[in-house]
Amino acid sequence: MANKVISWLEETEEVFLDDSDDTDADPSYGDPVELRENESDCDISEPMHRSNTSQTSRSRSRSPIAQNSYYLGKDKQTKWYKDAPPKNVRTRQRNIVLRLPGVKQIGRDANSILECWNLFFSNSIINDIVKYTNIYLDKIRSKYTQQHMVRETSKSEMNALFGLLYLAGVLRSNHLNLDDLWSNDGLSPEYFRAVMPKARFYILLRAMRFDDIGTRAQRKQFDKLAAIRSVFEDFVLRCENCYTVGANVTIDEMLEGFRGRCSFRQYTPSKPNKYGIKIQALVDSRTFYTSKMEVYVGTQPDGPYKCENNPASVVKRLIAPITKTGRNITMVNWYNSIPLAIDLLKNHNTTVVDTLRKNKREIPLCFLETKKRQLNSTMFGYDKDILLTSYVPKKNKNVLLISTMHEQGVIDPESEERKPEEFISSRREFLKTLGKELTKPFMLERLQMPTLRTSIRQRIIKLIGYTKTENEVPERSNIVHRLK
């Protein structure tokens, strides 16, 4: 079924225009003949071919039609026609994509990995994090005997902290104890010890803050996300401003692992990280670029951040960057419904291709029936706006799919042999380079510390690529000058 969805998404030609008239055909559908009392809502003994949908509120005029020309939903109102509407010759307005996808002007001047990172984490964000972290360090300093380990941090040290976190991810070290990364037994990476001591790394992780703790209590009265609101919204805005997503996008949720104290922490036993913070996101289907996000915090207190958390409301907030641009959405079926698909098409010029939960009352019973269906068989139901598909991939199992992107239900005879397109990513190498670029300036600063141990100094010189000339005495100032 995944291959069928992929082929559907790729079969529609993408047309990029600044504006276009609506070229939708408006087939004439008449009032259907009502089912007799002794007839079932679906006749699955007929060949499983194209059908057509229409709710009573969206009925159309049509030439005289044969009896039993539609399937009736469980709600006894929604009618899915068996005959496909006339095929449009021209591209419909809903399939015309406005705004060319790709990197926006603000990001076209970024020529290095570090410059790309700075597009999303600006100097102002890092400076705010440093400022708020120092406020917390001042608060806890008296609790430590080695107060030099709780000294104020700087921008270069904070970047180095982020760099080590990226490198730990590259090494898949998220489940390791810190002792394993800083041990001197020859098995741990020497890079971590060269950047900063383990105790300092731990203290910075504990003290890192994204807001002023002195005013947080007041802000939390009307915002559960007060602790990260400013930094998070700045980051999301930069994601929107740097890139325009392609014709096909995905809406899904992710659970970022977190076991700390948090009133909106979620527990999902099916996830790899069972405890965490749920984030809902709009993502480019082909490049995996995240364009829009929001953190699920439950019901907010009365105030400017209170909003509806039902699926339709979440989807409409997430699609704000792409509304009325002819994009297509695929999303987890928890979000999806037939009324939402119609609303997105009519009011946002946005189409949907997605699976549908089987408890929707608009679905005919025969579309849920599997015992009398053949393996790999397909049923289609048509409306002016929606195509409903029921597919049987396995015995006694079926998948429901709705689409406002397609008019015709077509079965590709080669779909079972197609394989998904492979995506080759250099993400690991990107993160490794980024981690080194973020840590190097702080390592250079460490070389100027007169109390730095010789073994650490030599390790830093080795890792950042300093080679002394013959008969040269490696003075600290000379080393720093040469490396810069």
Side-chain angles (χ1 to χ4, degrees):
M1 191 61 190
N3 294 333
K4 182 175 295 185
V5 174
I6 292 173
S7 65
W8 275 11
L9 292 176
E10 293 180 347
E11 72 181 11
T12 302
E13 180 182 4
E14 297 179 9
V15 182
F16 299 95
L17 298 173
D18 291 333
D19 197 4
S20 176
D21 295 332
D22 190 350
T23 58
D24 280 3
D26 188 13
S28 300
Y29 280 63
D31 295 332
V33 178
E34 295 292 340
L35 294 176
R36 299 173 184 172
E37 292 184 1
N38 59 351
E39 292 175 338
S40 87
D41 295 343
C42 302
D43 183 3
I44 60 175
S45 62
E46 297 180 2
M48 296 175 185
H49 62 290
R50 302 168 194 151
S51 358
N52 192 8
T53 62
S54 178
Q55 295 188 13
T56 304
S57 60
R58 303 192 305 274
S59 62
R60 312 171 221 176
S61 60
R62 189 187 187 189
S63 57
I65 55 178
Q67 202 170 12
N68 293 337
S69 63
Y70 61 81
Y71 304 120
L72 193 63
K74 290 184 291 185
D75 59 4
K76 303 301 181 182
Q77 294 181 354
T78 308
K79 297 168 184 175
W80 302 89
Y81 287 92
K82 297 179 181 179
D83 296 329
K87 187 175 182 180
N88 283 325
V89 177
R90 299 180 63 187
T91 303
R92 299 177 300 171
Q93 184 179 15
R94 70 181 70 174
N95 300 130
I96 297 175
V97 180
L98 307 178
R99 298 180 192 169
L100 189 68
V103 179
K104 295 184 180 180
Q105 185 62 44
I106 191 176
R108 292 176 186 172
D109 296 330
N111 298 315
S112 68
I113 289 178
L114 189 58
E115 288 177 351
C116 292
W117 187 81
N118 286 331
L119 290 175
F120 303 95
F121 297 91
S122 65
N123 288 333
S124 61
I125 289 181
I126 303 301
N127 288 336
D128 284 345
I129 295 175
V130 170
K131 172 184 175 182
Y132 300 137
T133 300
N134 283 333
I135 292 175
Y136 191 78
L137 286 170
D138 290 340
K139 179 181 178 181
I140 64 174
R141 187 171 295 117
S142 60
K143 300 178 181 180
Y144 288 81
T145 54
Q146 295 182 327
Q147 294 195 0
H148 68 282
M149 282 295 178
V150 202
R151 65 185 181 277
E152 288 193 348
T153 187
S154 63
K155 177 185 173 183
S156 61
E157 187 178 33
M158 189 58 63
N159 282 341
L161 175 67
F162 293 150
L164 289 182
L165 292 175
Y166 284 124
L167 292 174
V170 170
L171 298 175
R172 302 182 185 275
S173 306
N174 54 318
H175 295 297
L176 292 180
N177 190 288
L178 287 183
D179 291 337
D180 296 325
L181 293 174
W182 267 268
S183 66
N184 202 19
D185 56 5
L187 298 177
S188 62
E190 59 179 352
Y191 200 94
F192 287 78
R193 297 193 304 277
V195 176
M196 67 177 65
K198 178 186 69 175
R200 180 62 173 172
F201 178 85
Y202 179 82
I203 288 174
L204 287 178
L205 279 185
R206 180 192 170 189
M208 187 164 51
R209 292 296 183 272
F210 305 94
D211 74 320
D212 188 348
I213 57 174
T215 63
R216 182 186 298 173
Q218 180 181 356
R219 288 179 282 112
K220 284 185 67 175
Q221 293 179 5
F222 54 86
D223 184 16
K224 292 183 179 180
L225 202 63
I228 62 170
R229 172 68 66 181
S230 177
V231 172
F232 182 77
E233 288 190 344
D234 188 289
F235 175 78
V236 173
L237 182 61
R238 290 175 178 276
C239 290
E240 295 179 36
N241 292 339
C242 289
Y243 188 84
T244 301
V245 295
N248 300 303
V249 298
T250 301
I251 291 179
D252 203 348
E253 62 180 38
M254 48 189 170
L255 195 70
E256 295 297 331
F258 180 71
R259 287 181 174 266
R261 293 178 295 176
C262 180
S263 62
F264 48 87
R265 186 185 65 178
Q266 300 288 304
Y267 172 70
T268 307
S270 61
K271 299 288 186 181
N273 293 312
K274 294 180 173 56
Y275 292 91
I277 307 298
K278 185 167 77 172
I279 301 177
Q280 302 172 107
L282 176 77
V283 181
D284 188 298
S285 300
R286 186 172 295 276
T287 64
F288 312 133
Y289 182 89
T290 300
S291 177
K292 181 80 171 177
M293 291 185 293
E294 69 173 47
V295 179
Y296 175 75
V297 298
T299 303
Q300 284 272 32
D302 292 338
Y305 299 107
K306 188 172 184 178
C307 57
E308 296 290 336
N309 286 320
N310 59 74
S313 298
V314 173
V315 169
K316 291 175 187 178
R317 290 197 297 270
L318 289 176
I319 68 168
I322 61 168
T323 186
K324 298 184 179 180
T325 63
R327 261 61 180 181
N328 177 75
I329 305 175
T330 300
M331 48 191 165
V332 179
N333 58 23
W334 179 82
Y335 299 98
N336 200 15
S337 68
I338 291 173
L340 174 61
I342 293 293
D343 185 21
L344 293 178
L345 180 63
K346 296 294 186 182
N347 300 319
H348 300 272
N349 192 32
T350 301
T351 59
V352 169
V353 176
D354 203 0
T355 56
L356 191 67
R357 288 192 173 184
K358 300 175 183 178
N359 61 354
K360 306 300 182 183
R361 291 190 55 78
E362 298 91 346
I363 303 172
L365 288 174
C366 62
F367 276 61
L368 304 175
E369 174 64 44
T370 58
K371 293 183 179 179
K372 298 180 182 180
R373 299 270 301 276
Q374 295 180 354
L375 190 65
N376 297 327
S377 63
T378 306
M379 297 179 69
F380 296 114
Y382 294 87
D383 177 79
K384 176 185 177 182
D385 300 312
I386 297 184
L387 168 63
L388 174 66
T389 303
S390 175
Y391 175 68
V392 180
K394 297 180 181 179
K395 185 178 180 180
N396 297 329
K397 178 179 176 61
N398 75 323
V399 178
L400 296 173
L401 187 78
I402 63 170
S403 173
T404 56
M405 181 181 182
H406 302 88
E407 287 184 287
Q408 306 286 327
V410 180
I411 300 176
D412 185 352
E414 299 180 359
S415 62
E416 295 300 323
E417 299 177 2
R418 283 190 178 184
K419 295 182 179 180
E421 177 184 359
E422 294 183 358
F423 181 80
I424 302 176
S425 174
S426 58
R427 177 175 179 270
R428 179 183 176 86
E429 202 60 37
F430 179 93
L431 292 177
K432 184 189 297 184
T433 304
L434 175 60
K436 290 181 178 180
E437 291 293 327
L438 288 172
T439 54
K440 184 176 178 179
F442 184 69
M443 294 167 75
L444 288 172
E445 290 182 12
R446 292 195 76 190
L447 288 176
Q448 302 181 57
M449 298 178 182
T451 58
L452 187 65
R453 285 186 299 172
T454 302
S455 59
I456 298 295
R457 188 182 305 279
Q458 292 174 345
R459 185 178 295 121
I460 293 175
I461 294 173
K462 171 187 173 183
L463 291 174
I464 59 181
Y466 172 77
T467 303
K468 71 176 183 177
T469 58
E470 187 177 359
N471 300 324
E472 178 186 354
V473 178
E475 296 290 340
R476 286 194 299 272
S477 59
N478 190 29
I479 293 173
V480 174
H481 176 74
R482 285 282 302 276
L483 288 172
K484 286 183 177 180

